[in-house]
C-alpha cells in the first residue's frame, strides 16, 4: 500500500530512495529501516509479475479510475455525497479516487468536502497503508485548497457498541482454554 499507493497517478511504485527515507515516527511506514530494501525488492517483483501476466490489483484499478475521473472522459454522473468506512485500509491513490467520485460543484449542501464522511479505526488496519488521521486531513486539505487548520479534526468515539460485555467475556473465556 505504501510502495504502490503513495506513488501518485503516473508511477506504478515510488522510488526506492523515497521509500527508504520514510519517517516511521510520523506514521509514514511501520517497516523497520533494515527491511525496507527487501520489501521494496519484493514489491518490484510483485509489480513485474502482475504486469507480465496482465493482472491488476486494487491500487492499479484505483489509479486507472482516477485517471478517467480526472480526464472528465466519462459518461456517468458523480455523487452528491459519500460515506466511506474502513478508510484506514485505503492507499492514498484509492482515497484520491473516491474524492473524485463526488461532484466538486458546490450545491445547497455545501462544498465537496463538507459532503464527505470518513470513518475508520487505526487499531483495525488490514492493509498497512501508513494511514493516520493527520495524513488524511493533510490530503483533504491539499485536495480542497484549504489550510489544514480549517479542516475539521477527527472525532474519536469513546464507546464501542460492537463488543458488548458478553462478547468480551466469551472471547476471554475462549482464549483462556
Amino acid at each position: 500500500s505504501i510502495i504502490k499507493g503513495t506513488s501518485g497517478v503516473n508511477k506504478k511504485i515510488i522510488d526506492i530512495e523515497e521509500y527508504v527515507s520514510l519517517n516511521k515516527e510520523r506514521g509514514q511506514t511501520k517497516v523497520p529501516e533494515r527491511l525496507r530494501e527487501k520489501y521494496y525488492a519484493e514489491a518490484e517483483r510483485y509489480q513485474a509479475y502482475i504486469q507480465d501476466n496482465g493482472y491488476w490489483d486494487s491500487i492499479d484499478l484505483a489509479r486507472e479510475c482516477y485517471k478517467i475521473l480526472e480526464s472528465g472522459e466519462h459518461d456517468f454522473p458523480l455523487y452528491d455525497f459519500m460515506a466511506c468506512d474502513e478508510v484506514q485500509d485505503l492507499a492514498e491513490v484509492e482515497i484520491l479516487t473516491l474524492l473524485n467520485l463526488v461532484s466538486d460543484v458546490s450545491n445547497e449542501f455545501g462544498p465537496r468536502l463538507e459532503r464527505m464522511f470518513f470513518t475508520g479505526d487505526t487499531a483495525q488496519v488490514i492493509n498497512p497503508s501508513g494511514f493516520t488521521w493527520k495524513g488524511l486531513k493533510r490530503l483533504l486539505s491539499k485536495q480542497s485548497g484549504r489550510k489544514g487548520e480549517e479542516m475539521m479534526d477527527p472525532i474519536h468515539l469513546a464507546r464501542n457498541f460492537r463488543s458488548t460485555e458478553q462478547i468480551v467475556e466469551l472471547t476471554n473465556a475462549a482464549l483462556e482454554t
Side-chain angles (χ1 to χ4, degrees), residues 156-160:
H156 299 277
L157 303 179
R159 189 164 193 183
N160 182 343

Side-chain angles (χ1 to χ4, degrees), residues 73-92:
E73 296 178 14
H74 55 82
D75 59 356
F76 53 86
L78 299 177
Y79 295 98
D80 288 328
F81 297 95
M82 178 186 42
C84 175
D85 192 14
E86 307 296 352
V87 69
Q88 79 276 359
D89 290 323
L90 299 179
E92 185 176 301

Side-chain angles (χ1 to χ4, degrees), residues 118 131-134 136-137 151-157:
F118 294 93
F131 176 85
T132 63
W133 287 105
K134 186 176 184 177
L136 177 61
K137 185 176 173 179
M151 299 293 294
M152 182 178 155
D153 286 325
I155 297 170
H156 299 277
L157 303 179

Side-chain angles (χ1 to χ4, degrees), residues 7-62:
S7 64
V9 179
N10 295 315
K11 290 171 58 178
K12 294 285 184 183
I13 61 176
I14 63 174
D15 297 323
I16 189 166
E17 296 81 17
E18 185 179 355
Y19 180 63
V20 170
S21 67
L22 292 175
N23 189 311
K24 193 173 180 180
E25 282 71 42
R26 283 193 240 148
Q28 294 174 330
T29 185
K30 293 182 180 182
V31 176
E33 288 182 38
R34 63 181 166 65
L35 296 175
R36 291 186 195 168
E37 288 187 17
K38 288 182 181 182
Y39 275 47
Y40 192 87
E42 287 303 311
E44 285 182 311
R45 197 167 72 86
Y46 165 77
Q47 187 61 35
Y49 173 81
I50 63 173
Q51 278 181 233
D52 292 348
N53 290 284
Y55 298 143
W56 294 47
D57 62 19
S58 64
I59 294 174
D60 295 327
L61 180 60

